[in-house]
Amino acid sequence: MCHAILQDKSFYELLSRIDDELAEEARAGGCRCGARLHSARYPRKPRGVRREVIGADVRRASFCCEACRQRRTPKSVRFLGRRVYPGAVVVLATALAHGFNGRRLECLGELLAVPARTLTRWRQWWLTEFVATPLWSQEQGRFMPPPVIDELPGSLLDRFDGDASARLVSALRLVSPLSTVSEGG
Ligand SMILES: [Zn+2]
């Protein structure tokens, strides 16, 4: 059952604890202007995972500077940008979907409640936008040999050590800077 991690409550609890650490790092760093950051968390309603698994009250950490009002959204292993599905679903479902035949893709989509066209869009994102990010330019050198672009994100998961859960967490940590926001207003 390759999708089991995505329906495992303890897995999301682990991700939540990592996000708390990432948020605390960002808060402790303060604002660029030198002032303190105040918590400005906001609710998220993740799709594709049951509420009893992911939690009924899911909140994304965010901060607001008490002086210049700049907002700072820290790195996250739970969310990948503004996507409504958790980052773990975006990574693992795309990896599993690649190379699967139509019937399996349909089955996977049903299990995760991710429409096939969404999976196709995510895959396009990995193959085009993700590989064009400064983050990827910087991180791909960590791996020898580098992950095969055409097989992302599965080829990335393959480069990490540990069980399926540990590999997924490592991949989510790698892409976590893509979810940061630091902007005025
Ligand atoms: Zn500030």
Side-chain angles (χ1 to χ4, degrees), residues 3-162:
H3 63 282
I5 307 168
L6 298 177
Q7 300 300 339
D8 178 357
K9 193 176 177 186
S10 64
F11 179 69
Y12 292 98
E13 286 167 352
L14 169 67
L15 296 184
S16 191
R17 285 197 298 276
I18 296 171
D19 268 14
D20 286 347
E21 287 165 17
L22 294 171
E24 179 50 31
E25 270 171 35
R27 194 201 58 76
C31 182
R32 284 197 196 95
C33 78
R36 286 194 311 169
L37 293 170
H38 287 301
S39 177
R41 296 195 305 163
Y42 56 90
R44 296 270 322 236
K45 293 203 187 313
R47 210 181 280 172
V49 182
R50 297 196 318 276
R51 299 184 81 191
E52 52 269 43
V53 173
I54 200 162
D57 185 26
V58 178
R59 285 170 187 270
R60 172 77 164 98
S62 190
F63 299 99
C64 186
C65 174
E66 65 178 8
C68 72
R69 310 308 294 169
Q70 243 197 25
R71 182 173 273 270
R72 189 185 177 100
T73 303
K75 292 190 268 187
S76 172
V77 293
R78 287 184 302 164
F79 305 103
L80 187 47
R82 295 169 180 227
R83 289 176 185 81
V84 293
Y85 291 89
V89 175
V90 178
V91 175
L92 193 56
T94 314
L96 294 173
H98 174 60
F100 276 31
N101 64 37
R103 191 159 152 252
R104 274 174 166 171
L105 186 62
E106 199 176 285
C107 166
L108 179 72
E110 212 170 279
L111 288 168
L112 295 169
V114 181
R117 66 172 187 282
T118 302
L119 288 169
T120 304
R121 202 172 62 234
W122 289 346
R123 175 137 164 85
Q124 277 311 307
W125 177 82
W126 284 103
L127 298 193
T128 57
E129 292 177 51
F130 172 70
V131 296
T133 59
L135 175 80
W136 181 241
S137 309
Q138 187 187 313
E139 295 289 335
Q140 61 178 328
R142 276 172 50 180
F143 307 98
M144 191 53 67
V148 178
I149 302 283
D150 272 356
E151 291 166 16
L152 284 171
S155 56
L156 180 62
L157 290 170
D158 280 343
R159 290 294 185 275
F160 293 111
D161 294 324

